[in-house]
Amino acid sequence: MNTTTLLIAVAVIVLLMARRFAGEPLEARRLILPPVLLIVFGGYTLSQVDFAAAAQHPAVDGAVLGMGAIVAVAGGIVRGLTVKVFVQNGHVWYRYTLVTIGVWIAMVALRVGQLFAGRALDADQAVLSAGLLVILGLSFLGEAAIIGKRAIATGAPFAPKGARRAARRG
């Protein structure tokens, strides 16, 4: 696995989990931007793979990546259902719960299992590694879809830009 990709994935997960476990105002751009950036950067990383040299079994690689994407989105949806969405200071906030952390742990274990299954099926590891950020982004996008829908259902507005900094000061 590419060390840079792994470090980026771990850094994003740790940063977002720490912020979200503490609770923060829900800014629409902060809900959508991280997954989109992960998907774009992951797509770029995936496009850099020399498929002619790497992919001995392109159908297997595609199937493993596709299943990873489906599981990631489903895991994100489940995770989104465990997040506490509430109104505070006139706008929507959200916070990860212990159940959310449990879902994260289960999804990481499932992802490791998928990688071992991909290896057993002789999927190309360079392709699977390059797809990691796309899969992580899809997971966050599934979560964002549910949290966004639940936030809208509160009837309160999303937090304005800079609300997180203001909440830390006040």
Side-chain angles (χ1 to χ4, degrees), residues 60 93 99 119 122 145:
V60 171
W93 282 58
V99 175
R119 190 168 283 161
D122 204 24

Side-chain angles (χ1 to χ4, degrees), residues 74-129:
I77 289 169
V78 170
R79 207 171 50 247
L81 294 170
T82 69
V83 174
K84 182 178 181 184
V85 177
F86 56 99
V87 178
Q88 182 174 314
N89 300 331
H91 52 266
V92 181
W93 282 58
Y94 67 131
R95 179 181 306 132
Y96 275 6
T97 65
L98 289 176
V99 175
T100 311
I101 302 303
V103 173
W104 262 111
I105 291 168
M107 292 307 300
V108 168
L110 187 56
R111 179 69 184 144
V112 169
Q114 287 177 320
L115 290 174
F116 281 117
R119 190 168 283 161
L121 293 170
D122 204 24
D124 190 276
Q125 294 306 301
V127 173
L128 299 182
S129 294

Side-chain angles (χ1 to χ4, degrees), residues 41-78:
F41 185 69
Y44 172 77
T45 303
L46 197 55
S47 74
Q48 299 304 303
V49 172
D50 181 5
F51 286 96
Q56 295 175 348
H57 310 288
V60 171
D61 296 340
V64 172
L65 280 175
M67 283 303 298
I70 291 167
V71 170
V73 172
I77 289 169
V78 170

Side-chain angles (χ1 to χ4, degrees), residues 143-168:
E143 178 184 307
I146 298 301
I147 292 172
K149 181 179 177 184
R150 293 176 60 212
I152 290 168
T154 67
F158 283 89
K161 183 178 179 182
R164 189 171 48 98
R165 279 190 299 270
R168 278 188 280 158

